[in-house]
C-alpha cells in the first residue's frame, strides 16, 4: 500500500486524468438515462468533456481551470443545460483553488462562485413541485453548504501547509544559525589555543635559548654555572611540555582520558615564579604587589599571567643588552591593574601591532584580544625616555 501511495503522490496529473475519464463516462451515462431524448446531446457531451478537462488539469493550472469552470457554468445557464453529474467538477475546483497557494483573487472568486451556484441554479431551474418560499430558501442553503465546506477545507489545508512550511524554514534557519555559531566558536577556540601556544613557546623557548647560550659560553670555565643553566633549561622545557600537553588535551576531547593530562591554568600567584624564571635567564626584573591580594576570576588571572609573560618575552627579544624591567600588580576594589615597563631600546610599536618580530606571532594583538575577552582595557606604547610600557586594567566583572 505504501508503494501505491507513493506512486500516486509522484503522478498527481495521471491520477486526476483517470478520475476525469471516470467522470466523463458516468456523466454521459447520466445524461442518457436521466434526460432521454435531449435536444442537444452533443452540447452536453462537450460540456461534460470540458468539465473532465477541468478535473484533469486542476493541479497544474488551477486559476485557468477556475475561469473555465466559471465560463462553463454561465454557458449552462445561458443554454439551459440542466445540472448533471459533470457539475461535480465545480466542487473539486473550488477546493483545489482554495488549497492552492496562488493569487488571492482566485480563492475569492472560487468562494463567490461556489456560494452563488446553488442560488443561480434555483432561479434558472426552480423546483416544479409546489413549495413555499421558505422551503426553496432552505433547499438553496442546503445546496450551498457543500461548496462552502469544499472552500473551507481547501483554505484550511493551504493555511496548514503554509504553517508547516514556515516551521521548516524556521528550523532550517535555526540550523544554519547554529552551524554559523559553531564555526565562530571553533574559530575563537582555535585563536585562543594559538595565543596560548604562542605564549608558551615564545616565552619558554626564549628562556631555553638564553640559558643554552650561557651554558655553552661557560662550559669550560665554570662547569657549575653551566650545570645550573642546563637544569634551568630542563625545568623550563618540562613546564612548556606540561602547558602544551594541557592545550593538546583540549583538542583531544572524546579520546582516551589518559591522553589529556590536564594541568591547572597559570594564575596571578605564578607571576612571581615567572619573574624568577626570567631573572634566572639574565634579565633584571623588579616585581612588586600593591593592595590586598585576593582570589580573582580564572579568566582574569590567566589574562594577567599571559600579559606579563608576553611583555617580559618581548623585553628579552627587543630590549637589547643590559635592559631591565619592572612588573607591578595593583589590586583595586573592582579590578586588577598591571604595569610592565622596560628601559631597553625596544622594538617599533608597528612591529608589535603586526604580530611580533617575525610577523607571525600575536604581539599586542593577542594582548588586546585577551583583555577584551574579560572586558578590560589595554594601553601599550613607547615609554618617555626609552623603553616600552604596557598597562592593563582587568575588571572583576566583564563589561556587558
Amino acid at each position: 500500500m505504501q508503494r501505491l501511495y507513493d506512486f500516486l503522490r509522484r503522478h498527481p496529473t495521471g491520477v486526476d486524468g483517470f478520475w476525469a475519464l471516470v467522470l466523463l463516462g458516468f456523466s454521459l451515462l447520466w445524461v442518457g438515462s436521466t434526460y432521454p431524448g435531449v435536444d442537444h446531446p452533443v452540447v452536453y457531451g462537450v460540456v461534460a468533456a470540458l468539465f473532465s478537462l477541468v478535473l484533469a488539469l486542476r493541479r497544474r493550472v488551477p486559476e485557468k481551470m477556475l475561469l473555465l469552470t466559471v465560463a462553463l457554468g454561465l454557458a449552462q445557464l445561458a443554454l439551459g443545460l440542466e445540472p448533471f453529474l459533470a457539475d461535480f467538477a465545480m466542487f473539486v475546483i473550488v477546493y483545489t483553488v482554495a488549497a492552492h497557494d496562488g493569487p488571492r483573487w482566485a480563492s475569492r472568486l472560487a468562494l463567490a462562485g461556489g456560494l452563488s451556484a446553488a442560488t443561480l441554479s434555483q432561479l434558472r431551474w426552480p423546483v416544479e413541485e409546489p413549495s413555499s418560499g421558505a422551503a426553496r430558501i432552505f433547499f438553496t442553503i442546503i445546496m450551498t453548504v457543500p461548496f462552502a465546506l469544499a472552500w473551507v477545507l481547501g483554505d484550511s489545508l493551504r493555511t496548514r501547509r503554509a504553517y508547516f512550511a514556515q516551521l521548516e524554514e524556521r528550523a532550517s534557519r535555526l540550523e544554519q544559525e547554529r552551524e554559523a555559531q559553531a564555526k565562530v566558536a571553533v574559530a575563537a577556540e582555535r585563536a585562543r589555543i594559538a595565543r596560548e601556544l604562542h605564549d608558551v613557546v615564545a616565552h619558554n623557548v626564549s628562556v631555553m635559548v638564553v640559558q643554552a647560550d650561557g651554558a655553552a659560553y661557560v662550559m669550560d670555565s665554570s662547569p657549575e654555572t653551566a650545570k645550573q643553566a642546563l637544569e634551568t633549561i630542563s625545568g623550563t622545557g618540562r613546564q612548556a611540555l606540561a602547558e602544551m600537553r594541557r592545550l593538546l588535551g583540549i583538542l583531544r576531547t572524546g579520546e582516551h582520558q589518559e591522553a589529556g593530562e590536564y594541568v591547572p591554568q597559570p594564575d596571578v600567584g605564578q607571576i612571581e615564579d615567572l619573574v624568577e624564571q626570567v631573572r634566572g635567564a639574565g634579565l633584571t626584573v623588579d616585581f612588586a604587589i600593591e593592595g590586598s591580594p585576593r582570589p580573582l576570576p580564572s579568566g582574569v588571572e590567566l589574562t594577567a599571567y599571559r600579559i606579563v609573560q608576553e611583555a617580559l618575552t618581548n623585553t628579552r627579544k627587543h630590549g637589547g643588552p643590559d635592559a631591565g624591567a619592572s612588573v607591578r600588580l595593583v589590586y583595586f576594589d573592582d579590578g586588577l591593574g598591571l604595569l610592565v615597563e622596560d628601559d631597553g631600546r625596544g622594538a617599533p610599536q608597528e612591529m608589535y601591532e603586526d604580530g611580533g618580530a617575525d610577523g607571525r606571532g600575536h604581539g599586542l594583538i593577542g594582548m588586546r584580544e585577551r583583555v577584551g575577552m574579560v572586558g578590560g582595557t589595554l594601553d601599550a606604547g613607547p615609554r618617555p625616555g626609552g623603553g616600552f610600557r604596557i598597562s592593563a586594567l582587568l575588571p572583576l566583572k566583564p563589561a556587558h
Side-chain angles (χ1 to χ4, degrees):
M1 288 297 297
Q2 185 63 35
R3 292 183 178 180
L4 178 61
Y5 180 70
D6 293 338
F7 175 81
L8 296 179
R9 289 189 61 183
R10 290 194 304 268
H11 303 83
T13 304
V15 174
D16 292 340
F18 169 78
W19 289 115
L21 293 176
V22 172
L23 179 65
L24 177 61
F26 277 101
S27 298
L28 295 179
L29 292 176
W30 174 281
V31 171
S33 60
T34 307
Y35 307 122
V38 293
D39 297 334
H40 306 288
V42 177
V43 177
Y44 270 100
V46 172
V47 173
L50 292 177
F51 272 125
S52 300
L53 179 65
V54 169
L55 191 61
L57 301 180
R58 66 184 183 91
R59 280 188 273 198
R60 299 195 64 175
V61 282
E63 290 81 13
K64 293 181 179 179
M65 293 300 100
L66 174 65
L67 296 178
L68 177 59
T69 302
V70 172
L72 290 175
L74 295 176
Q76 276 190 268
L77 293 174
L79 298 176
L81 302 178
E82 296 187 19
F84 64 115
L85 189 60
D87 292 329
F88 177 77
M90 293 184 179
F91 292 100
V92 179
I93 195 61
V94 167
Y95 162 80
T96 302
V97 172
H100 180 65
D101 190 16
R104 298 307 297 166
W105 65 263
S107 180
R108 296 189 183 98
L109 178 60
L111 178 61
L115 295 179
S116 60
T119 303
L120 295 176
S121 176
Q122 183 64 23
L123 293 175
R124 182 67 174 82
W125 298 283
V127 180
E128 296 180 358
E129 291 80 3
S131 59
S132 63
R136 291 184 178 182
I137 294 175
F138 178 77
F139 178 77
T140 303
I141 294 175
I142 291 300
M143 294 302 297
T144 304
V145 168
F147 287 98
L149 291 178
W151 186 90
V152 170
L153 180 61
D155 189 70
S156 299
L157 181 62
R158 179 192 61 81
T159 303
R160 184 179 180 184
R161 190 185 299 121
Y163 173 71
F164 281 114
Q166 185 179 9
L167 289 181
E168 291 178 357
E169 181 184 0
R170 183 180 302 175
S172 176
R173 186 169 61 252
L174 290 176
E175 184 67 23
Q176 294 176 357
E177 291 178 359
R178 279 195 296 268
E179 292 178 358
Q181 291 174 358
K183 292 180 180 179
V184 171
V186 169
E189 184 66 12
R190 288 178 178 176
R192 187 187 69 81
I193 293 175
R195 287 195 299 269
E196 293 284 327
L197 287 174
H198 167 267
D199 294 338
V200 171
V201 174
H203 172 74
N204 292 288
V205 172
S206 63
V207 171
M208 294 168 65
V209 169
V210 171
Q211 293 292 334
D213 290 342
Y217 182 74
V218 300
M219 180 67 71
D220 297 329
S221 60
S222 180
E224 188 64 27
T225 303
K227 180 180 178 181
Q228 294 177 359
L230 292 175
E231 290 177 352
T232 301
I233 292 174
S234 177
T236 304
R238 286 190 178 93
Q239 180 182 353
L241 287 175
E243 293 199 35
M244 292 182 68
R245 188 179 296 115
R246 174 179 63 83
L247 294 174
L248 293 176
I250 297 175
L251 299 177
R252 290 170 178 161
T253 301
E255 297 185 3
H256 300 292
Q257 291 294 331
E258 61 270 13
E261 299 178 8
Y262 298 104
V263 298
Q265 290 185 337
D267 54 22
V268 174
Q270 298 182 32
I271 292 180
E272 188 172 0
D273 297 334
L274 174 65
V275 171
E276 290 296 332
Q277 186 185 55
V278 174
R279 286 171 179 168
L283 180 64
T284 302
V285 182
D286 181 25
F287 178 66
I289 298 177
E290 300 178 9
S292 301
R294 60 183 182 276
L296 301 172
S298 59
V300 172
E301 296 210 11
L302 177 61
T303 300
Y305 181 91
R306 292 306 186 196
I307 289 176
V308 175
Q309 185 183 51
E310 176 71 17
L312 294 178
T313 301
N314 289 334
T315 299
R316 274 200 313 273
K317 286 182 178 180
H318 313 300
D322 302 326
S326 64
V327 178
R328 295 287 184 273
L329 269 65
V330 183
Y331 285 88
F332 298 103
D333 293 337
D334 57 351
L336 176 68
L338 291 173
L339 179 62
V340 184
E341 297 180 304
D342 67 68
D343 55 6
R345 65 172 183 266
Q349 185 176 3
E350 292 77 7
M351 184 174 292
Y352 290 102
E353 296 287 359
D354 291 339
D358 57 2
R360 293 187 296 271
H362 290 273
L364 292 181
I365 297 176
M367 290 188 189
R368 295 189 190 281
E369 289 181 356
R370 287 186 179 277
V371 173
M373 288 175 63
V374 296
T377 58
L378 178 73
D379 183 22
R383 195 180 67 153
F388 206 83
R389 172 189 290 130
I390 294 177
S391 175
L393 179 60
L394 310 176
L396 295 183
K397 295 183 180 180
H400 294 287

